[in-house]
Amino acid sequence: MNQTASDHRIPLNDGNSIPVIGLGTYSEKSYLCIYFKNKKPLFKNKRKEITNLESSLIHLFFPLLLFQSIRNLSHESVKIAIDVGYRHFDCALMYGNECDVGSAIKEKIAEGKVKREDVFFCGKLWPTYFSPEMVRPILEKTLNDLQIDYIDLYLIETPMALKPGNDLFPRDEKGNWLFHNINLCHTWEALEACKDSGLVKSLGVSNFNRRQLELILNKPGLKYKPVCNQVECHPYFIQTKLLKFCQSHDIVIVAYSPLGTNRDPTWVNTDYPPLLEDPLLISLGKKYNKTAAQIALRFNIQRGMVVIPRSFNPKRIKENFQIFDFSLTNEEIKNIEALNKNSRFVQLLMWSEHPEYPFHDEY
């Protein structure tokens, strides 16, 4: 299919469609804000002179500043993205910015720039809400925050359930994660009911391996199979086996971190150099008068994937969307595939002892 900046949707297995490029809206600041909101201490006094009053003021005002920063970043970047041509927006409850993404869309609809049916929202079910009775209420919260009547795509964010409740990062008094055992098929049935009620158009998963996908696909009485699996994928981690498995079941791969990640060693695997400094990507960029990022994004969409690069930089938001005016050759695709290091940047090691940790399996 010849995709263009104005027409770049691909079909999903339930009859709906998805734009092949979306704007990722996650910010590391979101993670910090959620920790504050859940009263998790972030700061350890590095000098004895810090008083209790100073510490209290830091914990009172710093999260407020962070929330305001995220609101401004998310709101403005979404409006810029719509003007550029993006119609797909990847959100999540944990990002803490659904209200602001929704308000930005609402403004653009009011301006006449887009219609609701033009916009594709993706939301995610956080693992503390996997109990079937909790699924619809938390989805309705997302709809209320986004100020919309339905969401286009709703994902199980991870196969690893955590202790049910509103504490998004549940731990015991020793700091150990509180895992939860649940049958994901029951969670999926609750999602199917949400789709039947018109709250969701399409259902998918994220960070599922083959075994976990098969659990859903082989569920007795399955009404709707996942339309997509959102996973890390880029030239250093090309996911060939998982891609082929998903394609065999008409499941689209949505690539997060398609440009790599930041270099924060507290949660990112920094064993490899930054993806966008790769000489081959830079060389191909010079050939096509494109950036290394544009080459990496084009690589994935030519393999049949959807990409959701995140940026709050207006220049990069625009550049990342300019991937429909060139094509890589088959040889160039193979050369980029040869860059594969078969290693993730995002390993989620904090949950590596969870019984459903997905990355112990080959794929």
Side-chain angles (χ1 to χ4, degrees), residues 28 261-271 345 347 349:
E28 284 76 18
T261 60
N262 68 28
R263 307 297 290 174
D264 183 349
T266 61
W267 68 278
V268 173
N269 174 12
T270 57
D271 291 346
F345 285 122
Q347 298 176 317
L349 292 177

Side-chain angles (χ1 to χ4, degrees), residues 59-193:
H59 279 81
L60 174 63
F61 290 110
F62 186 65
L64 296 177
L65 292 172
L66 277 175
F67 273 117
Q68 187 59 44
S69 175
I70 290 173
R71 294 190 67 173
N72 292 339
L73 283 172
S74 301
H75 188 85
E76 293 306 313
S77 63
V78 168
K79 291 201 298 182
I80 291 167
I82 290 176
D83 288 340
V84 167
Y86 289 80
R87 297 296 180 263
H88 176 180
F89 299 93
D90 184 76
C91 309
L93 173 74
M94 195 274 286
Y95 301 173
N97 61 2
E98 289 179 329
C99 289
D100 307 293
V101 171
S103 65
I105 301 290
K106 190 174 182 179
E107 285 183 27
K108 285 299 176 181
I109 291 175
E111 290 176 13
K113 182 68 177 180
V114 291
K115 298 178 180 178
R116 169 62 186 97
E117 57 267 27
D118 298 329
V119 178
F120 188 96
F121 284 102
C122 174
K124 304 182 185 75
L125 179 68
W126 185 248
T128 58
Y129 299 103
F130 283 2
S131 296
E133 69 276 8
M134 302 178 78
V135 171
R136 179 164 179 154
I138 200 63
L139 169 59
E140 289 176 336
K141 180 185 184 307
T142 286
L143 293 174
N144 183 63
D145 288 346
L146 287 170
Q147 304 177 68
I148 55 178
D149 297 325
Y150 67 89
I151 200 163
D152 298 272
L153 174 62
Y154 202 51
L155 310 179
I156 296 181
E157 188 155 0
T158 165
M160 299 174 284
L162 301 177
K163 178 185 176 182
N166 291 324
D167 182 353
L168 301 188
F169 301 98
R171 302 190 192 205
D172 63 20
E173 63 279 0
K174 296 181 179 179
N176 299 312
W177 289 95
L178 295 174
F179 299 143
H180 184 60
N181 290 322
I182 193 167
N183 187 333
L184 287 173
C185 289
H186 296 162
T187 306
W188 190 258
E189 289 170 356
L191 288 169
E192 289 180 322

Side-chain angles (χ1 to χ4, degrees), residues 255-303:
Y256 69 71
S257 298
L259 305 178
T261 60
N262 68 28
R263 307 297 290 174
D264 183 349
T266 61
W267 68 278
V268 173
N269 174 12
T270 57
D271 291 346
Y272 300 102
L275 173 67
L276 299 185
E277 294 179 8
D278 188 272
L280 176 60
L281 300 182
I282 292 172
S283 174
L284 288 172
K286 291 178 179 178
K287 173 183 175 180
Y288 291 104
N289 195 28
K290 294 292 180 180
T291 65
Q294 290 167 322
I295 299 297
L297 294 173
R298 184 72 201 181
F299 165 72
N300 267 348
I301 68 167
Q302 283 191 218
R303 299 171 74 217

Side-chain angles (χ1 to χ4, degrees), residues 240-259:
T240 300
K241 290 184 178 181
L242 184 62
L243 173 62
K244 288 182 178 179
F245 174 79
C246 286
Q247 288 177 333
S248 72
H249 290 276
D250 202 15
I251 296 172
V252 172
I253 289 285
V254 177
Y256 69 71
S257 298
L259 305 178

Side-chain angles (χ1 to χ4, degrees), residues 8 29 41 97 163 278-279 332 340 360:
H8 52 269
K29 293 179 182 178
N97 61 2
K163 178 185 176 182
D278 188 272
E332 288 166 347
N340 182 44
H360 289 317

